């Protein structure tokens, strides 16, 4: 049943991608994912508390086409040869962080090779944006948990290449600058925000922060669809939702900012944590000792943190970085999330189930209700003195107390065991194997069509060797979106009509010139020479 649900979920993804890809074009999709493994907490814990137990799973989706250098290959090739004739054109990596109170989808990397524009059947509308929106929407739907908020987070920073080394060297790759990249991501995430399946059970909001930009300067990055929203219910807003998604909003500022890998604000957090007394740089996720209060010396509030981010190296010197969040807040929170919220606010009231069992045994040994109240008010030291232990000692396995963490052991087991079958990749790797193939992709060469085709074949063969899947993994998809072609043709036809009108205006001059009996060029020259000769005799006659 698990495999059936997983295969059904993948087929749903493929059918969605077919609808957004260019009609009549052949694509190949490869989807990798990992099992949820324990990772460092996204939010630092308040003083005298432990961080939330967090699990992370990675997803890597690639889109490939037939290589331009292998267009002359025979059509009756085997599956392995067909796979070897493909070249990557786009890839996106998403990290899914799961805790007992929050699900976070962090877009780690997204990159293209530029070979899509070199294909003979390339359309004017690139499929990269609708593919990214569709994949993130599908992944958010499969990772939604009833009553638990979900966040899609990313930071937009323009670079020449992220996942495909050398792809910027062949010249066909279109690299966006900082402003264009932030606008591109806002337009890409807007369909995810307006997903129709989340209208009833979730309240959706998008938040954007560009360090160094005020409210009016930030609104220029919002997608055009935000203009149709009601004035009192704007989907896109300037600011951050950290106070809404943090596990403990009353904690110090360092406990409210998430710590993602390769994130500019994460590096800034590491530098600010050095200001905390009695803190160790190697354990930035753990709170300081009881002597410290978990506060920075230079930064006291979140507003100061974002103001100083504008002077960071990634955000200054002419560079611009955008932080974007999509927050899906459930209309009815789950009971577990409410219990965890109470536990975070009052951690001292947590207790162990074994203590309740011992109390029940003591209560049952009393004869009257008055004696029970006296024993309940008595201190633990007096109770231990009255009771004498006797008999053989029977060893037992140690039990983990629920008070040792902000999240109960039951919640941690639920996160690790309830891994949904929906939303998994075609190949599921362990974390070490995924890191191996991920590092291999960053060492390959995509500087031209031949080397890119060879690198694609090498990477796919490495994944097949590690996971031992079927003979030919991946999914052949034929695009069915016919709107891309007519849209481009309609625009071109309109341009032709306008140019035709302009040509007609020019033809009036040519028709006037064509009234001469001789050829067009000769008549033009004769008319000019005749006019010049007429002017001269007039001057001579007057004299």
């Amino acid at each position: 049943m698990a495999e059936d649900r997983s295969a059904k979920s993948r087929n749903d993804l493929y059918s969605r991608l077919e609808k957004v890809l260019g009609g009549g074009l052949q694509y190949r999709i490869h989807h990798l994912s990992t099992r949820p493994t324990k990772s460092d907490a996204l939010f630092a814990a308040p003083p005298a508390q432990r961080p939330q137990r967090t699990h992370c799973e990675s997803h890597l989706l690639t889109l490939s086409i037939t290589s331009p250098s292998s267009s002359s290959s025979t059509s009756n090739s085997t599956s392995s040869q067909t796979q070897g004739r493909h070249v990557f054109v786009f890839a996106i990596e998403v990290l899914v962080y799961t805790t007992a109170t929050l699900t976070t989808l962090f877009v780690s990397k997204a990159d293209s090779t530029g070979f899509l524009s070199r294909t003979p059947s390339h359309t004017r509308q690139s499929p990269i944006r609708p593919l990214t929106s569709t994949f993130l929407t599908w992944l958010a739907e499969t990772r939604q948990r009833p009553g638990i908020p979900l966040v899609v987070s990313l930071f937009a920073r323009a670079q020449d290449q992220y996942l495909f080394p050398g792809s910027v060297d062949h010249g066909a790759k279109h690299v966006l600058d900082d402003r264009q990249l932030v606008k591109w991501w806002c337009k890409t995430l807007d369909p995810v925000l307006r997903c129709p399946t989340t209208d009833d059970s979730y309240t959706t909001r998008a938040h954007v922060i560009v360090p160094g930009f005020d409210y009016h300067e930030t609104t220029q990055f919002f997608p055009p669809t935000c203009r149709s929203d009601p004035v009192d219910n704007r989907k896109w807003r300037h600011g951050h939702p950290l106070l809404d998604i943090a596990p403990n909003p009353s904690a110090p500022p360092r406990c409210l900012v998430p710590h993602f890998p390769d994130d500019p604000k994460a590096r800034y957090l590491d530098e600010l944590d050095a200001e905390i007394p009695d803190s160790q740089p190697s354990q930035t996720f753990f709170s300081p000792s009881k002597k410290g209060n978990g506060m920075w010396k230079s930064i006291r509030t979140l507003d100061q943190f974002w103001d100083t981010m504008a002077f960071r190296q990634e955000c200054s010197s002419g560079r611009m970085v955008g932080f974007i969040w999509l927050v899906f807040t459930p209309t009815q929170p789950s009971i577990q999330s409410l219990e965890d919220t109470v536990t975070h606010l009052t951690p001292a009231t947590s207790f162990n189930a074994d203590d309740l069992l011992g109390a029940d045994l003591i209560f049952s040994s009393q004869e009257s209700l008055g004696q029970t109240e006296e024993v309940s008010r008595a201190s633990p030291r007096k109770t231990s003195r009255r009771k004498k232990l006797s008999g053989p000692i029977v060893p037992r396995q140690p039990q983990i107390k629920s008070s040792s963490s902000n999240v109960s052991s039951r919640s941690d087991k639920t996160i690790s065991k309830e891994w949904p079958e929906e939303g998994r990749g075609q190949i599921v790797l362990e974390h070490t194997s995924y890191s191996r193939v991920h590092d291999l992709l960053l060492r390959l060469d995509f500087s031209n069509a031949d080397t890119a085709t060879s690198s694609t074949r090498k990477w796919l063969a490495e994944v097949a060797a590690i996971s031992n899947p079927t003979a030919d993994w991946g999914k052949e998809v034929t695009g069915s979106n016919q709107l891309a072609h007519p849209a481009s043709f309609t625009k071109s036809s309109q341009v032709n009509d306008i140019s035709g009108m302009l040509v007609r205006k020019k033809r009036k001059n040519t028709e006037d010139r064509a009234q001469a009996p001789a050829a067009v060029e000769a008549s033009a020259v004769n008319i000019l020479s005749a006019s010049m000769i007429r002017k001269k005799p007039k001057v001579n006659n007057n004299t």
Side-chain angles (χ1 to χ4, degrees), residues 94-96 103-107 136 139-140 143 150-153:
V94 181
L95 306 180
V96 182
T103 302
T104 304
L105 274 65
F106 177 68
V107 182
L136 292 178
L139 196 59
R143 288 298 174 266
L150 185 140
V151 178
V152 180
S153 176

Side-chain angles (χ1 to χ4, degrees), residues 263-331:
D263 191 1
K265 65 179 183 296
R267 290 186 286 270
Y268 191 29
L269 289 175
D270 296 338
E271 295 180 6
L272 292 176
D273 285 344
E275 302 177 359
I276 302 177
D278 300 332
S279 63
Q280 300 179 3
S282 60
Q283 297 179 354
T284 56
F285 290 99
F286 288 91
S287 299
S289 62
K290 296 181 180 180
K291 298 180 182 180
N293 56 0
M295 295 292 296
W296 296 320
K297 293 183 179 180
S298 58
I299 306 299
R300 310 297 294 182
T301 61
L302 282 179
D303 295 336
Q304 294 179 358
F305 175 82
W306 289 111
D307 291 340
T308 53
M309 273 293 299
F311 303 97
R312 297 287 300 169
Q313 182 179 1
E314 296 87 351
C315 308
S316 60
S317 302
R319 300 297 302 273
M320 188 187 69
V321 175
F323 297 90
I324 308 175
W325 297 270
L326 303 184
V327 181
F328 298 84
T329 305
T331 55

Side-chain angles (χ1 to χ4, degrees), residues 179 206-222 226-227 229-240 307:
R179 293 179 177 269
H207 304 263
V208 181
I209 278 188
V210 180
F213 285 63
D214 58 9
Y215 169 78
H216 298 285
E217 293 175 339
T218 307
T219 54
Q220 63 180 336
F221 302 105
F222 293 171
C226 68
R227 302 173 184 174
D229 295 336
V231 180
D232 55 347
N233 189 17
R234 297 288 189 183
K235 291 289 186 180
W236 289 83
R237 300 181 179 182
H238 170 262
H240 62 83
D307 291 340

Side-chain angles (χ1 to χ4, degrees), residues 478-498:
T478 302
S480 61
N481 183 13
Q482 301 295 338
L483 298 178
H485 297 277
S488 60
F489 292 156
T490 304
K491 292 181 180 179
S492 62
S493 62
Q494 293 177 357
V495 174
N496 291 333
D497 293 338
I498 296 175

Side-chain angles (χ1 to χ4, degrees), residues 528-542:
L528 291 176
S529 61
S531 62
M532 294 175 65
I533 294 172
R534 289 175 183 175
K535 291 181 180 180
K536 290 181 179 179
K538 289 181 180 180
V539 176
N540 294 331
N541 293 333
N542 294 330

